[in-house]
Amino acid sequence: MQIQDLPYPDPGVPDARSGPRFLRWLFRNQLPGQLKSLAWGLLHFASVASFPFCVGIGVQAAVDRSGSRLALAGGLMALACLGNAVGDTFLHRAAVTNWITAAARVQQLLARRTATLGSALTRRVAAGEVVAVSTGDVEKIGWFVEALSRFTAAVVTIVLVCVGLLVYQPALGVVVVVGLPLLALAVLPLLPHATRRADAQREKAGRATELASDTVAGLRVLRGIGGEELFLDRYRRASQEVRHAAVRSARMWSLIAAIQVLLPGILLITVVCYGVHLARQGRITVGELVTVYSSVMLLAYPLRHFEEIAMAYSFSRPSAKRAARVLSLERAVDTAGTPGSERHGRPSGDLYDPVTGLLAPAGRLTAVVCGDPDVAGRLAERLGGHAAHAARNGSVLLGGVALDDLPLDSARGSVLVQDKDPVLLSGTLRELLDVPASGAVGAREALDAAQCADVLAALVQGSLDAADPMDARLTERGRSLSGGQRQRLSLARSLVTDPEVLVLDEPTSAVDSHTEARIAEGVRELRAGRTTVVFTSSPLLLDRADQVVLLHDETVVAVGGHRELVRTEPRYRAVVTRETEAEAKTGAEAGAGLGADDLTDLDTLVEIEETA
């Protein structure tokens, strides 16, 4: 796999049982690139390691006044330089390719898992952790994957050099062979401490990232209540904790680096002293001493890869653990569907939830009233197949077909859920509304139904270079717009999609009553003949629904029209009119004795609320 071939057609199914297992799986899938990097690494390190032998031959030739051997040394030196240049160039190219392709594979896996889990992801994993995994962690994982092949090449080179020194000069070769393993293993006792400090730093950094993202997301609210300084102080403290943890981690790694410099120096001094002693006794020549000395000096280069692989593994292991945790999350049901589910295609018909007993007739607008927003949110997610846990009573049925039995793309194409806090991606309005759609609803129709005229005007005013509102740019998450404007653009995007079933969770909670009444009428007209379920407690929306369903304790307790339920159901009136339950019961008892004229007055109250 080359960089220009990304993304992967299929990134594969990861082994997410643990961080080390995930790293091994990733290495196996990157094996061709690893072998290529290993080959170029061997050429590079072998060329570097051959320099001392060439120098030794040249020095001894100069001592012996042998021109032929001196020319041979020069030729070998030129060949080593060429091998070093070629090997280093292509090793770097292969290593960077391995790094980027490994990181891209992990990002594709994370993106696929995020799309599979949907809104259930952030309920099971903190948003800050997801951001940390998809940004910094993928780079650390890619670093370890690409460093592993270079480390292997360095190890092979060191072994070959040690064998060569034993054959070339056994007396000094023994010193090198004994000393090099001590150099390589000397830092192992320090690695657990360095790893723990690095883990603590990343954990604190993850908390700081999560706090920062939460603060930015709620900045408008914080400014409204004057809480910026409070959260700023919290972030300062979190940032200082990250700094202190980073300094403690850096101290340990600097100690390891110092040992990696000190011990090779001690070995080099030992080799020189012992070599001079042997040369005085005439047991070795000057050229052999220069060769062994140069070899030990240059071996410090491949030895540094021991430190690098230790750092790469220490940083990538917790990153891989976090990535594996996200990748191990599963939907409540199999995303591939059950055998034979393909024959259903995209079903249509009544939408039925066996857990609550909710029945939304096909082609009609059904409003759902629930006093507990959490219960309403879980039901909305279940209707769209986004439930975090499998329901005991079975899957939601659409036209008698269980959504959980359908392939994920088919289920998502049949039922679209717009939650209470939809996200607007940055870009132009045209790009925002360029979503998979049936083609039956145009962008202008959807914007009109969602009452976005003032939103379009605001976007054009804020984008000086956009004469057409569709070319106006939205800032990140639509932060330049008000909450009501963001809601209406999100509603327009959902209407453009024109799914078989559209589920809206509090789509007008941040909209004024006049606009809300027009939106209710626009959605009703545009979605005529299509199934629409709206979770709301607004009388303006409830009065325009074909039927209203009341949920209490996660069970349907009443079905009817809005005005009928206001008169006859105290629990319904308690939610819609914000009365206490006792007041609602008193109102119901009083309503039982009302005459026809009094009932007409109750109807008038709804009309007054619409024009308020």
Side-chain angles (χ1 to χ4, degrees):
M1 173 61 70
Q2 299 297 318
I3 296 176
Q4 62 264 25
D5 298 326
L6 294 174
Y8 287 93
D10 180 12
V13 180
D15 186 349
R17 289 176 290 177
S18 67
R21 289 177 183 270
F22 178 64
L23 288 175
R24 285 197 295 270
W25 174 87
L26 193 60
F27 178 80
R28 288 197 302 270
N29 281 269
Q30 300 282 134
L31 191 57
Q34 295 294 327
L35 294 176
K36 184 184 297 185
S37 179
L38 176 61
W40 291 119
L42 287 174
L43 175 61
H44 169 58
F45 288 122
S47 300
V48 171
S50 65
F51 278 119
F53 294 95
C54 298
V55 171
I57 294 174
V59 169
Q60 192 61 43
V63 172
D64 297 340
R65 299 181 181 277
S66 174
S68 60
R69 280 190 293 162
L70 189 61
L72 174 63
L76 292 176
M77 186 74 72
L79 187 61
C81 289
L82 178 61
N84 180 37
V86 173
D88 191 23
T89 300
F90 285 94
L91 171 62
H92 179 74
R93 180 185 179 92
V96 171
T97 299
N98 288 337
W99 188 338
I100 293 177
T101 53
R105 185 188 295 273
V106 178
Q107 285 183 323
Q108 279 188 251
L109 292 170
L110 290 169
R112 187 172 66 178
R113 182 59 53 192
T114 301
T116 300
L117 292 171
S119 60
L121 175 63
T122 51
R123 295 200 308 272
R124 300 165 71 179
V125 180
E129 183 171 352
V130 176
V131 173
V133 170
S134 59
T135 53
D137 284 339
V138 295
E139 293 188 5
K140 295 180 178 67
I141 293 171
W143 176 27
F144 174 73
V145 171
E146 70 90 10
L148 193 57
S149 57
R150 289 189 289 110
F151 168 73
T152 304
V155 171
V156 173
T157 302
I158 290 173
V159 172
L160 292 177
V161 170
C162 290
V163 172
L165 288 177
L166 281 175
V167 175
Y168 182 72
Q169 178 44 251
L172 286 178
V174 171
V175 177
V176 176
V177 169
V178 172
L180 282 179
L182 295 178
L183 295 183
L185 302 177
V187 297
L188 288 183
L190 299 177
L191 288 180
H193 301 284
T195 301
R196 284 195 295 269
R197 292 189 180 187
D199 290 348
Q201 175 197 351
R202 281 186 291 273
E203 183 179 352
K204 293 179 183 297
R207 287 201 295 266
T209 301
E210 184 176 351
L211 178 61
S213 62
D214 290 343
T215 302
V216 171
L219 191 59
R220 187 187 296 270
V221 177
L222 291 177
R223 285 176 176 170
I225 62 176
E228 306 104 302
E229 288 300 323
L230 174 63
F231 276 80
L232 183 58
D233 289 341
R234 290 181 182 177
Y235 183 74
R236 282 198 188 104
R237 290 195 295 271
S239 178
Q240 289 301 311
E241 290 178 2
V242 174
R243 184 178 68 84
H244 290 309
V247 170
R248 294 183 71 247
S249 178
R251 285 173 181 167
M252 184 58 67
W253 288 113
S254 63
L255 176 60
I256 292 175
I259 292 175
Q260 291 287 321
V261 173
L262 175 63
L263 294 184
I266 294 175
L267 177 62
L268 192 61
I269 293 172
T270 302
V271 169
V272 170
C273 292
Y274 186 55
V276 170
H277 173 69
L278 294 177
R280 284 178 176 178
Q281 294 180 349
R283 296 169 57 184
I284 64 172
T285 64
V286 175
E288 290 173 339
L289 175 59
V290 171
T291 298
V292 176
Y293 168 78
S294 302
S295 297
V296 174
M297 184 174 64
L298 289 180
L299 279 178
Y301 171 55
L303 274 174
R304 286 203 297 269
H305 288 77
F306 283 80
E307 177 190 355
E308 182 190 14
I309 197 64
M311 291 183 65
Y313 181 72
S314 298
F315 280 92
S316 66
R317 185 179 58 82
S319 296
K321 181 180 178 181
R322 283 195 294 267
R325 181 188 173 197
V326 175
L327 294 174
S328 65
L329 299 176
E330 298 288 347
R331 287 186 71 215
V333 294
D334 182 12
T335 58
T338 58
S341 60
E342 295 81 0
R343 70 177 185 274
H344 297 297
R346 288 193 176 180
S348 61
D350 296 344
L351 185 68
Y352 176 68
D353 175 41
V355 176
T356 59
L358 171 67
L359 176 64
R364 303 186 68 186
L365 174 60
T366 300
V368 180
V369 176
C370 181
D372 188 344
D374 292 334
V375 173
R378 288 195 297 269
L379 174 56
E381 290 164 355
R382 194 162 60 248
L383 292 177
H386 300 273
H389 306 286
R392 293 189 303 272
N393 297 348
S395 167
V396 170
L397 303 178
L398 177 59
V401 178
L403 287 182
D404 291 348
D405 290 344
L406 295 174
L408 181 61
D409 56 348
S410 180
R412 294 273 172 88
S414 299
V415 182
L416 174 65
V417 178
Q418 177 182 304
D419 61 19
K420 287 182 289 189
D421 188 23
V423 176
L424 298 180
L425 302 179
S426 59
T428 65
L429 182 58
R430 193 184 310 278
E431 292 170 341
L432 177 72
L433 300 180
D434 184 15
V435 293
S438 67
V441 178
R444 295 291 180 178
E445 297 175 86
L447 291 168
D448 290 342
Q451 301 300 311
C452 293
D454 63 315
V455 185
L456 299 182
L459 288 175
V460 171
Q461 186 177 4
S463 302
L464 300 179
D465 57 342
D468 186 349
M470 300 298 291
D471 296 325
R473 296 196 65 82
L474 297 167
T475 57
E476 181 187 4
R477 300 178 68 92
R479 298 191 192 282
S480 60
L481 303 175
S482 67
Q485 290 173 328
R486 289 197 297 270
Q487 273 193 338
R488 282 178 280 164
L489 283 182
S490 300
L491 176 60
R493 179 176 59 186
S494 300
L495 293 175
V496 166
T497 304
D498 189 36
E500 180 67 27
V501 179
L502 177 60
V503 179
L504 304 172
D505 191 359
E506 295 289 354
T508 58
S509 58
V511 177
D512 64 83
S513 58
H514 293 285
T515 306
E516 189 176 30
R518 293 194 295 269
I519 290 175
E521 195 61 40
V523 170
R524 180 182 175 86
E525 293 178 1
L526 194 64
R527 292 286 300 171
R530 306 287 259 174
T531 306
T532 307
V533 180
V534 182
F535 289 82
T536 184
S537 60
S538 167
L540 298 173
L541 289 176
L542 295 170
D543 193 47
R544 285 168 173 78
D546 295 316
Q547 74 169 15
V548 178
V549 178
L550 173 64
L551 258 66
H552 184 73
D553 291 335
E554 297 195 55
T555 304
V556 173
V557 294
V559 179
H562 167 61
R563 304 188 185 208
E564 173 191 354
L565 293 176
V566 166
R567 298 189 194 99
T568 61
E569 179 55 64
R571 290 171 295 187
Y572 180 83
R573 188 162 57 251
V575 175
V576 173
T577 64
R578 309 300 194 272
E579 293 179 352
T580 64
E581 194 162 339
E583 291 172 337
K585 289 181 179 178
T586 303
E589 293 170 358
L594 292 177
D597 294 337
D598 297 318
L599 293 177
T600 302
D601 292 337
L602 283 175
D603 293 340
T604 305
L605 289 176
V606 176
E607 297 173 359
I608 292 174
E609 187 171 1
E610 294 177 2
T611 57

